Amino acid sequence: MEETKKEYPFLMACRRQPARYTPIWMMRQAGRYMREYRALRKKFSFLEMCKNPELAAEVTLLPVQRLRVDAAIIFSDILLPLEPMGIELEFAKHEGPVIHHPIREVNQIDALRIIEPEEDLSFLMKAIRIVCRELEGKIPLIGFSGAPFTLASYIIEGGHSKNYILTKGLMYQNHSAWDGLMSKISEVLIRYLNAQIRSGVQALQLFDSWVGCLGPKDYEEYVLPYSKKVIDGVDKTVPLIHFATSSSTLLERMKQAGGDVIGVDWRVDLGEAWKRLGYDVAIQGNLDPVILLGPPDLIEKEVKRILDGVEGRPGHIFNLGHGILPNTPFDHVTALIEAVHQYSSKSPRKKEEG
Ligand code: CP3
C-alpha cells in the first residue's frame, strides 16, 4: 500500500518529487459540462446531491470514469459546513448560493456553533469513505474547504459580492467582531479538514477564492493569521493546496500562511509566480478556463506554454486557474488532459538524452 501511494504522480508533485508526467485535475471537474451530471441534476437539487452519500460518491467518480484525471475531488461545496454552524443556506436557481440571515452583529457571531463534523456532516464523511473504497487506490482523493476569508465573505454578504463592502466594513471597523468571526470559522475548518483526513482523503485544498479583493497589507493583518492557524491545525500526514484567485500580489504572504502547494490562476505567469514563491513549495495551475472553449490547437499551445514555463521542475500540478465552465465541450477536456500528459512525459532533459 505504502509503495503504490508513493507512486501517485499527483501526490509526488505535491511533495515536489519527480513524477512520470505532470499530473492534472480540474476544479469543478464533476459538474455541468458533463452530460451525466446534467442528467442527475434533472432529478435532484444540488444540495440533495451533496447530502446523499451514494449520489455524492457517484458524481465524484464521474470524471474518474470518463477522463484520465490524476486526482478526484470529493463532490461537495465550501458552504456546507455553514448549515450546522447555524447559517441558513440555499442554492437558488441561476443565483448561486444565498444565505438568508447574513451575520453582521456580534450577538449573531456569538451564536454560531462550533461543529462536530463527524456527526453534523456525516453524509460527507460517508461519501469520502465510499469514494475511497470505489477508487481502489487508482488515484488519490482530495478533500477541501473554503478558507476563513472566503467563507466570512459569504456569511457576511449573504452571497457573492462585487465590492465586499460589508465584509471589509466589519474587518476595518470592528476588529473584535472580525476576530471573533474569523476565529470561530478557523476552529470549524480545522475540525472539518481533520475529519475529512480521518475519513480517507489523501490531500486537501483550501479555497480562498475571493481573497484577491484585498491588498497585501490587509491580507497580512486580517487574513493571514487565520489561514495560518487553519493550515497549522491540520494533520500534516496529507499535503495541502492553498488556492486563491486574483492573488498575484499576495503570493508570498499566502506561502507564509502555509501549504505544500500554492494554487494560482491565469492572471499570473506560472513560471514567474513560482520563481517569486521559491522552489521550496509546489505550484498548481493555471490555464484560463475560457481557453477550453477554444479549439484543441489553442488548448495545446497554451498547455505547452505553461509546461515550458515550469522548465521540467518537479512539483507542478496542472489545473485550471479556476473552476471549469459549464459550457466547456467535453472533448476539449479530453484534449487538455491528453496534451498535459503527452507533452510533460517528454521533458526537455529526456529530449536531450534521446
Ligand atoms: O471541484 C469539484 O468538482 C468539487 C466540488 C465543488 C463544488 N464547489 C461543486 C459545485 C467545489 C470544490 C466547490 C467549491 C466552491 N463552492 C467554491 C470555491 C471554488 C471557486 O469556485 O472559487 C465556491 C466559491 C463555492 C460556492 C459556490 N457553489 C458558488 C458560487 C456556486 C454557484 C456558481 C456556480 O458555479 O453555479 C456553487 C454551486 C456549485 N458548487 C455547483 C457545483 C458543481 C453548481 C451546482 C449546480 O449543479 O447547479
Side-chain angles (χ1 to χ4, degrees), residues 25-32 37-38 41 44-47 49-50 59-60 63 72-79 91-97 142-146 150 154 159-160 205-210 243 245 322-324 326:
W25 68 280
M26 290 159 298
M27 290 181 269
R28 297 275 168 98
Q29 65 187 18
R32 287 158 292 185
Y37 179 88
R38 293 194 301 270
R41 276 286 276 115
F44 306 100
S45 74
F46 173 62
L47 275 180
M49 281 167 51
C50 291
V59 177
T60 303
I73 178 160
I74 191 70
F75 185 77
S76 182
D77 197 87
I78 58 162
L79 302 177
F91 283 86
K93 262 206 177 103
H94 311 301
E95 251 187 88
I142 306 169
F144 68 89
S145 79
T150 291
Y154 278 107
H160 192 58
Q205 177 155 316
L206 193 65
F207 286 90
D208 215 349
S209 304
W210 312 136
F243 165 79
T245 70
H322 207 167
I324 189 165

Side-chain angles (χ1 to χ4, degrees), residues 241-296:
I241 305 164
H242 186 181
F243 165 79
T245 70
S246 301
S247 58
S248 60
T249 57
L250 306 177
L251 291 176
E252 292 84 356
R253 288 168 176 91
M254 280 176 69
K255 182 186 174 192
Q256 239 176 299
D260 303 278
V261 185
I262 302 293
V264 296
D265 74 7
W266 62 91
R267 295 172 182 93
V268 287
D269 178 86
L270 188 111
E272 280 171 27
W274 207 357
K275 196 170 165 194
R276 266 172 54 202
L277 282 164
Y279 301 117
D280 56 346
V281 71
I283 198 157
Q284 176 176 280
N286 72 340
L287 186 75
D288 185 337
V290 174
I291 295 288
L292 281 182
L293 306 181

